[in-house]
Amino acid sequence: MTTIETARLILRRWHDDDVAPMAAVNADPEVMRFIRDGATRDEERTRADIEVWERHWDTYGFGLFAVEVRATGELAGFTGLAVPEYLPEMLPAVEVGWRLGRSVWGRGLATEAARAALRFGFRDRGLAEVISVIQLGNTASERVAAKLGLCPHRTLTSPGSGRTLRIHSLDRAAYDATDARNATGTANAADRADTAG
């Protein structure tokens, strides 16, 4: 079992009782606005997604973490690393992503969680580069990506939704150069301004 603790969060593998709270996150149209075609997902679809995420861990040795708020035990959503198979032109690549419920937005938790996931990828799994795939117009997630050191790299069209995606990237050398600042696990005042989770 892989578990990471930050100042305010626990990143861990998925449990059966995570399905309902993650489904509640997925059922919020505002959360899902910039995810694929913007469609919400019900509990059945969420359960299937979690099964896929867990298999990804078994296949690659990394994956999406359930993000739990340490103070309350609340499941906030997810962050972590995945192979973006839905974007074949970007392969081979590893994507860092995050999706947190609105109840925890605006507190810098997306940045804190994704920062821990990046450290895991670069330090524990030896990745050479990580990308982030963000729909054009999702300024909150672009702010998170910038705080993590990811830089805009290129744009492309999503084959599933037809929406425009901006690819951000961060290589190992750039990560190493900013590791001391990015790996603190704490949120500064700028981090708290993000609303992507």
Side-chain angles (χ1 to χ4, degrees):
M1 293 292 286
T2 301
T3 301
I4 300 171
E5 293 193 15
T6 69
R8 297 177 292 172
L9 303 171
I10 299 172
L11 280 59
R12 57 167 175 77
R13 298 284 293 270
W14 295 87
H15 305 153
D16 288 342
D17 57 4
D18 293 327
V19 174
M22 190 67 220
V25 173
N26 287 340
D28 185 337
E30 193 61 26
V31 171
M32 302 300 289
R33 179 180 174 199
F34 293 109
I35 308 297
R36 304 290 178 91
D37 63 359
T40 58
R41 299 178 186 181
D42 61 14
E43 193 164 313
E44 182 179 355
R45 172 64 188 276
T46 299
R47 183 181 301 278
D49 284 345
I50 289 174
E51 290 172 358
V52 169
W53 301 340
E54 280 294 289
R55 286 197 300 272
H56 190 285
W57 275 99
D58 296 336
T59 301
Y60 295 102
F62 57 81
L64 298 179
F65 293 96
V67 175
E68 182 179 312
V69 179
R70 291 177 66 172
T72 64
E74 170 190 3
L75 181 78
F78 73 67
T79 192
L81 304 163
V83 175
E85 295 174 353
Y86 63 97
L87 287 176
E89 65 190 282
M90 291 306 301
L91 298 178
V94 176
E95 174 187 6
V96 62
W98 50 87
R99 184 186 308 160
L100 303 185
R102 266 198 288 175
S103 66
V104 299
W105 284 8
R107 293 158 51 188
L109 296 183
T111 305
E112 185 174 330
R115 184 172 286 150
L118 275 179
R119 183 171 179 81
F120 172 73
F122 284 119
R123 292 287 176 252
D124 295 350
R125 293 299 181 258
L127 299 179
E129 182 180 23
V130 173
I131 67 168
S132 184
V133 181
I134 300 173
Q135 282 193 15
L136 211 60
N138 188 352
T139 55
S141 279
E142 292 209 297
R143 284 195 298 271
V144 173
K147 290 170 196 169
L148 297 171
L150 291 140
C151 298
H153 174 65
R154 62 179 290 195
T155 58
L156 53 85
T157 301
S158 169
S161 67
R163 294 182 176 188
T164 302
L165 307 174
R166 181 172 285 139
I167 310 301
H168 299 69
S169 65
L170 177 66
D171 65 23
R172 178 69 176 266
Y175 178 81
D176 287 345
T178 58
D179 186 35
R181 177 174 55 85
N182 287 345
T184 62
T186 59
N188 59 31
D191 289 342
R192 292 188 185 96
D194 79 66
T195 55

